[in-house]
Amino acid sequence: MIYRVIGLMSGSSLDGLDIAFVEFDESGGKWSFEIKAASCYQYNEPWTNSLKNAATLNAFEYQLLHTRYGKYTGEQVNAFIDEHHLHHQVQLISSHGHTTFHAPALAMTGQLGDGAAIAAETGINVVSDLRALDIAFGGQGAPIVPIGEKLLFGNYNMFLNLGGIANITVSDNDSYIAFDVCAANKVLNMFAQKESRAFDENGLMAAGGTINTSLLTQLNNLEYFKRPHPKSLDNNFGIETIFPIIETFGLSTADALRTQVEHIVMQVGYQCQHFKKDNEPKKILVTGGGALNKFLIKRLSETLSALNIEVIIPAEDIINYKEALIMALIGILRWREEYNVLSTATGARRNSINGAVWIGQEA
């Protein structure tokens, strides 16, 4: 069976809206895919500010933004379809939305981007609200990408996504364990922006800095890192916890970046060491914006090589659009009424079929 689907992802780093048009082929339970077209539509300053400040709005204003962002998302999809000449080719849109609230302990998660508005704007069927049922079943609602790692990248048994938050997936036979490791790109970008740069390109500023061992110890001793999985973070952990702690040390930007890079590498290393039960060689597939940070990847490779783990950086479309790709797959599985979130990754009572369906196509 062939499916042609658009997957949408807006990450915590607020880089923009990732859009991937993917052709999937399912035959006998085996899945293959090809990313036919992909783009990141960067947010302008008003949209960046609106999404950044969404959690401070009152209920009415928040709902207005939810609808407005859904309409905006639909407009971007229409522009993407025009740009890549995809008219009458897209069968389904699967939208993650932009996370604003994430409180699994209170059985709540919130993503901006009204699916009905996307469906109405595009005239295409839409799947949205991809985390809600897992939360209702007692899960963390995150990470949800392991189903895609299982079905699309089964030749690897370790995965690391370096986005605003770093998260890891480890496969053990047919069981997939996944959780958020630590704050990553969001904090690095916040320090780079102090130097009027959007990000630390190739990690050059960090490479020129010095590790502050007192700060590194304080970061590594935070309570979150002592909790067992399943566990998840929202972007506020980086903004409201990690960044202010680093700021109190009064370091140069280079030293702050260098220390945060080492913190990320150490936390990932601890988790890999915990789950690697033998000295057999393993490979870890690294994606997300952090995979393009050459200094971060150099330090990660040096650390994991001691565990006989090879860091693999895939093709750039996988680095940049793996999450949008997997959101597209999750939407297909919802349409097929098949499990699309794994309880071993989220801690829910059972696997679940997540997503609200909005019929934008005319009957």
Side-chain angles (χ1 to χ4, degrees):
M1 181 72 73
I2 302 294
Y3 299 92
R4 297 179 178 90
V5 186
I6 281 179
L8 305 176
M9 182 70 199
S10 177
S12 57
S13 57
L14 284 171
D15 294 335
L17 179 66
D18 288 342
I19 307 179
F21 175 61
V22 189
E23 182 174 287
F24 294 93
D25 186 356
E26 185 274 332
S27 179
K30 302 293 184 183
W31 290 84
S32 60
F33 70 92
E34 181 181 355
I35 297 177
K36 294 285 192 177
S39 298
C40 179
Y41 287 11
Q42 293 187 342
Y43 296 125
N44 59 27
E45 187 174 352
W47 268 114
T48 299
N49 291 334
S50 291
L51 296 175
K52 185 187 299 184
N53 299 320
T56 67
L57 300 176
N58 64 40
F60 180 67
E61 291 170 335
Y62 183 88
Q63 285 302 119
L64 289 177
L65 179 60
H66 178 57
T67 303
R68 188 163 62 91
Y69 182 64
K71 184 176 187 301
Y72 166 84
T73 298
E75 291 169 347
Q76 301 311 296
V77 170
N78 286 339
F80 177 84
I81 289 172
D82 287 342
E83 179 184 348
H84 296 283
H85 310 292
L86 300 176
H87 299 281
H88 311 297
Q89 296 184 53
V90 182
Q91 298 168 309
L92 186 70
I93 297 167
S94 183
S95 175
H96 175 273
H98 187 84
T99 299
T100 49
F101 298 103
H102 187 68
L106 301 174
M108 186 275 288
T109 188
Q111 284 77 41
L112 286 169
D114 181 19
I118 301 171
E121 191 66 30
T122 61
I124 300 170
N125 300 338
V126 171
V127 176
S128 64
D129 300 319
L130 305 181
R131 301 178 185 269
L133 188 58
D134 181 81
I135 289 276
F137 278 124
Q140 292 285 309
I144 61 174
V145 296
I147 187 68
E149 291 165 338
K150 176 180 181 179
L151 296 179
L152 303 179
F153 299 96
N155 51 329
Y156 293 93
N157 56 8
M158 302 181 82
F159 305 88
L160 177 67
N161 182 67
L162 292 170
I165 300 293
N167 50 67
I168 194 168
T169 303
V170 179
S171 68
D172 183 9
N173 296 320
D174 201 38
S175 177
Y176 279 70
I177 298 166
F179 54 92
D180 291 338
V181 177
C182 61
N185 292 348
K186 183 61 181 177
V187 174
L188 296 176
N189 292 351
M190 289 173 73
F191 279 103
Q193 287 158 13
K194 294 178 70 173
E195 304 297 327
S196 301
R197 304 183 190 183
F199 58 94
D200 182 13
E201 187 169 2
N202 292 323
L204 291 177
M205 283 193 289
T210 301
I211 296 170
N212 184 294
T213 54
S214 296
L215 170 59
L216 184 60
T217 299
Q218 185 171 337
L219 293 176
N220 287 333
N221 283 336
L222 289 172
E223 187 270 338
Y224 178 81
F225 304 121
K226 301 172 185 177
R227 291 186 212 165
H229 64 81
K231 56 184 180 178
S232 62
L233 292 167
D234 66 14
N235 214 32
N236 288 333
F237 182 73
I239 297 169
E240 298 176 1
T241 300
I242 300 297
F243 183 80
I245 289 173
I246 299 175
E247 283 277 81
T248 63
F249 278 73
L251 305 179
S252 68
T253 298
D255 290 354
L257 286 165
R258 180 67 185 90
T259 305
Q260 174 63 8
V261 163
E262 201 65 19
H263 168 61
I264 295 166
V265 168
M266 289 180 71
Q267 289 303 321
V268 171
Y270 292 152
Q271 300 309 324
C272 290
Q273 185 174 25
H274 175 78
F275 285 104
K276 194 169 186 293
K277 306 300 183 184
D278 52 46
N279 198 41
E280 290 296 312
K282 303 287 185 185
K283 295 181 179 181
I284 186 166
L285 185 72
V286 182
T287 56
L292 301 174
N293 183 324
K294 291 182 179 179
F295 179 68
L296 173 58
I297 295 304
K298 175 177 178 289
R299 284 295 303 122
L300 188 65
S301 297
E302 290 168 350
T303 297
L304 296 188
S305 66
L307 302 174
N308 206 9
I309 298 173
E310 181 183 0
V311 171
I312 303 296
I313 306 298
E316 197 160 320
D317 61 346
I318 302 298
I319 292 174
N320 292 328
Y321 298 105
K322 179 187 167 199
E323 288 190 302
L325 159 70
I326 293 178
M327 295 310 128
L329 176 68
I330 287 173
I332 296 170
L333 295 173
R334 170 62 184 89
W335 194 261
R336 288 163 58 107
E337 298 186 355
E338 296 176 5
Y339 290 135
N340 59 7
V341 174
L342 300 175
S343 60
T344 56
T346 67
R349 293 195 296 276
R350 64 172 177 82
N351 296 340
S352 54
I353 303 171
N354 288 254
V357 175
W358 310 91
I359 304 300
Q361 180 180 333
E362 289 191 39

